[in-house]
Amino acid sequence: MAPFRFIRKMPHPFKSGTLRRTLVIYLLIACLFPPILFSAFTYSSLHSILTHKIRAGIDASLKQEATGLENVLSNLDFVSKQFALDGQTAERVNAYLNTEKLTEKADMMKEIEESLNIVNFTNPNLGLTVYYNPQATDPILFTNLAVSPDFGVSGLPPFVRYNGASYFGPHRTQYKNSTNIVFSSLREVRTDLDQSVYIYLETNYNLFHQIMNSQWYGMKVSHFLINDEGDGIYADSGEAPFDGSLLRWDMAASGDKLYKGYYLFGYESSQGWKLVTAVDQSVFNREINAWIWRMAALIIASFGFAIVLAMLIWRKVYGSLRKLNKEIVRMTGDRESPVSLTHVEEFDQLLRNFQVMKTTVNELIGEVARNERMKSQLEMEKVLSQINPHFLHNTLNTVQWLARSNGQDDIDRLLTLLVQVLHYNMGKQSLIVTVRDELGALRNYIELQSFRYEGELAFVIDVDEAALSIPIPRFILQPLVENAIYHGKSKEDGVIRIAIGMTKQGALRLEVADNGPGMDEETASRLLGKDGDRPMMGMGIGLKYVRSLLGRYYGNEDLLVIDSRLGEGTVLSVEIPNEIKEDRDDQRSTS
C-alpha cells in the first residue's frame, strides 16, 4: 500500500501557472515521443507497404478487366467487318437485297442464316446477331436468335465510336428471352441500295459479368465506364455507391483521389473509353486500421507510465528550485551584492547569468546619468548650429533692400524667391508637412529656376485635390525636380511634368518626368547611390537624401524608383502610404 499512499500525497501534476505543470508536460513529451515516433515510422512503412500491395493488386486486376473489354470490342469490330464489308455473308446480303426472285431469295436467306450460325459457333463470345433495315416495314432482315418486339438502337447508351462502328453498353440484351447485360456494336452494311442496312452484334450473355468481377480484386469494388463523350456509367448490377454521371476522368487519373469515401483507380483505353474502379475507403484501410488500434493501446499505457515518472523527477528537482528562489529574493534587496551559488551546475549557471545581468544594469544606469549631463551641452551646440542660417537670411535681406532701392525689380523678385525657398528648407517648420505646403515651396523653387532656364524649360504641374492635405516628409519633392532639371534638360523644348495623385490602393504617388536624353541602368543605380555606390556628382546627393527620408519614415528606401531609357526621358516616382507615423521628437521644430 506504500506506493499508493505516496501517489496520493503527490501534488496535482497539472496545476495551472506552475513550473511543475511545465515540467510534467515536457517529461510527458519526452517519454511519449519515442513510442509515438516509432508508431509513426512503423505506420508510415506499414501503410506504404500495404498501400503499395493493394494498389498494385487493384491496378493489375483493373488492367486485366480492361484488356478483356478491349478484346471484346476488337472481336465485335472484326466480326462486324466480316458481316458488313468484305466477307461472303456481306456479299450474300447485298445480292439478297438486290434480287426480286423469291426462289433466289429463299436460297440466299438459307445461306445467310447458315453463315450467321457458323460465325456465332466459331465465336463463343458473340450473342445476338441481327441484320436490319430501320426504314423497311419489317426492319428485321436476318437474325440468329429471337429479338424483343421493341428492338432498336435509339435508346441504347452510347459507349464509343471506334473503327467506323458505334458501340453501346452496358445495356440489357435485345434477345427476347434474356435480361442479361451486354455490349453491342452497330455498323452499316455495304450495299447497292439507297436505304441503309446495318449489322447489329451483341456480346455473349455471360461475358460481361465474367470480365467485370470483384473476385479479381479480393475485395468489394464498383465499376464505372466513361464513354468517349466523358459521361460516366455505372457498370455493375444493384445500386451505385454514387452518381456515375458526376464522375470525371481526372478524378481517377492519378489513382490517389478520394471521392465520397471511395478511392478511384482508372485505366484509359486506346479505343477511346475509360474504366474506373471505386474501392470503399474502409475496405481499403481495413488492415491498417486494425494496426492503429493496437498502437493506440500501447501509447495509452506509455502515457500512464510517463505521468508517474514525471512526478518522481519533479520531487527531485523541486528542492533545488526552492533554494534558487530564496537566493533570487535575497538579491532583490541588494543590487550590488554578489550571488551565492547552489553547487548544482545547471542552477549555478542561471545564477552566473543573473550576475552578468546585474552588472550590465548597473553599467546602463551609469550611462544614463552621463547622458543627462551631456544633454545641456548638446542643446548649446544646437543653438550654435542656427547661427549660419540666420546670418544667410540677414545678408540676403540686406541685398534685397539694396535691389529695391536701386529699382532692380528682377533681382528683388529673385531674392524674394530665394529667401522663401531657404526659409522653407532651413526654417523652423515641422519635419512633416502637407502636400499643399510642399507644393507651395516647390512653386517658389520652380519660379526661381525659371530665371535661369527662361525659354529652355517648361514646368507642368498636375495635382489631385484629394492629395493636398496628406502629410509627407518636408523637402521630398524639390530633390526630384532638381534631378529632372540637372539630368533631364535637353537642348530645347524641355518639359518637366510633376504629377501628384492617389493610386487605386489609396497610396500617395509623387511623379516627376522629363523628356531629356535619359540614362542607362548603371547610371540610374549610381544616381541613387545603391549598394554602397558613391553618388554621382550633382543631384544624386539629393536623391540619396530622399531615399534616407523614405527609409526613416516608411522603412523602405527602395520606394524611390527611376524608370529611364536612353533617348526617351526619365521618370522618378515615389508611392507612399497616405499617412505617416513620426516620433514625437520629429514633430518639434528644428533650425
Side-chain angles (χ1 to χ4, degrees), residues 238-301:
E239 185 177 353
F242 51 82
D243 188 358
S245 62
L246 301 178
L247 184 63
R248 295 293 178 267
W249 173 242
D250 59 347
M251 299 177 182
S254 65
D256 295 322
K257 295 293 183 66
L258 187 62
Y259 177 70
K260 298 193 178 210
Y262 285 82
Y263 285 108
L264 303 180
F265 299 86
Y267 176 89
E268 183 174 10
S269 173
S270 59
Q271 294 175 344
W273 52 270
K274 291 98 174 172
L275 174 61
V276 177
T277 298
V279 183
D280 190 285
Q281 185 180 11
S282 61
V283 175
F284 188 91
N285 294 325
R286 183 179 299 149
E287 295 184 33
I288 298 174
N289 292 336
W291 178 89
I292 290 175
W293 281 110
R294 291 193 293 270
M295 294 306 300
L298 175 62
I299 292 175
I300 291 173

Side-chain angles (χ1 to χ4, degrees), residues 313 337 478 489 504 552 567 585:
I313 296 176
S337 64
Q478 182 177 324
K489 182 176 69 66
K504 294 182 179 179
R552 177 181 182 183
D585 291 341

Side-chain angles (χ1 to χ4, degrees), residues 36-305:
I36 292 176
L37 180 63
F38 172 76
S39 300
F41 177 77
T42 307
Y43 173 79
S44 176
S45 302
L46 183 64
H47 187 277
S48 176
I49 294 171
L50 291 178
T51 301
H52 179 73
K53 182 189 73 172
I54 295 172
R55 290 184 182 277
I58 292 175
D59 289 337
S61 300
L62 179 65
K63 185 174 182 180
Q64 187 172 357
E65 286 182 337
T67 302
L69 186 54
E70 287 178 336
N71 292 337
V72 168
L73 297 187
S74 297
N75 188 46
L76 289 176
D77 175 63
F78 175 74
V79 176
S80 65
K81 287 179 179 178
Q82 280 186 307
F83 284 152
L85 303 177
D86 303 324
Q88 293 181 356
T89 306
E91 295 176 358
R92 290 170 182 168
V93 171
N94 187 37
Y96 173 84
L97 295 174
N98 284 283
T99 185
E100 298 294 336
K101 296 180 181 181
L102 296 178
T103 55
E104 293 180 0
K105 279 183 173 291
D107 293 337
M108 293 178 182
M109 181 180 297
K110 184 178 180 180
E111 292 176 352
I112 292 171
E113 290 176 349
E114 289 178 354
S115 298
L116 293 178
N117 292 330
I118 292 173
V119 173
N120 276 271
F121 179 77
T122 57
N123 291 274
N125 290 332
L126 289 180
L128 180 64
T129 303
V130 180
Y131 277 102
Y132 87 108
N133 180 0
Q135 298 176 349
T137 303
D138 185 8
I140 306 300
L141 300 178
F142 306 101
T143 179
N144 64 332
L145 297 170
V147 298
S148 61
D150 56 349
F151 176 87
V153 298
S154 59
L156 299 180
F159 185 50
V160 69
R161 182 77 181 172
Y162 174 64
N163 279 356
S166 298
Y167 294 85
F168 306 93
H171 63 84
R172 179 178 174 176
T173 178
Q174 300 198 70
Y175 174 41
K176 182 178 180 181
N177 300 319
S178 177
T179 59
N180 287 328
I181 304 300
V182 297
F183 279 92
S184 61
S185 69
L186 183 70
R187 185 185 296 274
E188 186 175 0
V189 179
R190 184 181 298 167
T191 65
D192 297 332
L193 299 179
D194 293 335
Q195 297 180 349
S196 297
V197 177
Y198 297 91
I199 179 68
Y200 173 83
L201 298 175
E202 286 184 355
T203 59
N204 184 285
Y205 310 122
N206 297 320
L207 183 62
F208 179 74
H209 291 296
Q210 292 174 357
I211 295 175
M212 302 294 178
N213 194 336
S214 294
Q215 294 181 356
W216 294 108
Y217 298 86
M219 65 181 69
K220 172 66 175 170
V221 299
S222 300
H223 298 89
F224 292 86
L225 288 167
I226 300 178
N227 61 22
D228 56 355
E229 298 295 330
D231 300 324
I233 306 167
Y234 182 56
D236 294 334
S237 58
E239 185 177 353
F242 51 82
D243 188 358
S245 62
L246 301 178
L247 184 63
R248 295 293 178 267
W249 173 242
D250 59 347
M251 299 177 182
S254 65
D256 295 322
K257 295 293 183 66
L258 187 62
Y259 177 70
K260 298 193 178 210
Y262 285 82
Y263 285 108
L264 303 180
F265 299 86
Y267 176 89
E268 183 174 10
S269 173
S270 59
Q271 294 175 344
W273 52 270
K274 291 98 174 172
L275 174 61
V276 177
T277 298
V279 183
D280 190 285
Q281 185 180 11
S282 61
V283 175
F284 188 91
N285 294 325
R286 183 179 299 149
E287 295 184 33
I288 298 174
N289 292 336
W291 178 89
I292 290 175
W293 281 110
R294 291 193 293 270
M295 294 306 300
L298 175 62
I299 292 175
I300 291 173
S302 300
F303 179 83
F305 174 76

Side-chain angles (χ1 to χ4, degrees), residues 6 25 65 112 115 132 161 229 311-312 325 336 361 418 562 570 588:
F6 164 72
I25 291 175
E65 286 182 337
I112 292 171
S115 298
Y132 87 108
R161 182 77 181 172
E229 298 295 330
M311 294 305 297
L312 292 174
N325 181 64
E336 300 294 336
V361 169
L418 180 59
I562 297 180
T570 303
R588 295 198 296 263

Side-chain angles (χ1 to χ4, degrees), residues 433-576:
V433 298
T434 64
V435 172
R436 180 181 286 104
D437 296 334
E438 183 76 359
L439 189 60
L442 180 64
R443 292 184 189 276
N444 291 333
Y445 172 76
I446 290 175
E447 185 175 353
L448 183 63
Q449 292 295 329
S450 297
F451 280 93
R452 178 180 180 184
Y453 297 106
E454 183 177 4
E456 296 183 18
L457 280 176
F459 295 88
V460 178
I461 301 177
D462 182 12
V463 182
D464 185 356
E465 294 292 332
L468 291 176
S469 60
I470 293 178
I472 58 174
R474 187 178 63 165
F475 195 62
I476 193 172
L477 269 176
Q478 182 177 324
L480 303 182
V481 177
E482 284 180 312
N483 181 82
I485 295 174
Y486 187 83
H487 294 280
K489 182 176 69 66
S490 58
K491 295 182 179 179
E492 58 183 9
D493 297 330
V495 177
I496 296 177
R497 301 181 183 275
I498 301 102
I500 305 175
M502 308 298 296
T503 66
K504 294 182 179 179
Q505 292 75 25
L508 177 66
R509 180 175 177 84
L510 311 176
E511 183 176 293
V512 178
D514 63 71
N515 62 345
M519 64 185 72
D520 54 25
E521 292 185 5
E522 182 180 357
T523 303
S525 177
R526 291 184 58 202
L527 191 63
L528 292 175
K530 289 185 177 181
D531 303 326
D533 292 341
R534 184 176 181 180
M536 296 178 60
M537 296 298 294
M539 298 303 106
I541 298 176
L543 294 186
K544 191 169 182 65
Y545 167 74
V546 172
R547 282 172 52 82
S548 66
L549 284 180
L550 296 174
R552 177 181 182 183
Y553 291 104
Y554 302 102
N556 186 359
E557 294 186 354
D558 293 331
L559 293 174
L560 174 60
V561 178
I562 297 180
D563 184 9
S564 180
R565 292 179 178 82
L566 294 175
E568 298 182 11
T570 303
V571 177
L572 288 87
S573 61
V574 177
E575 284 192 14
I576 55 179

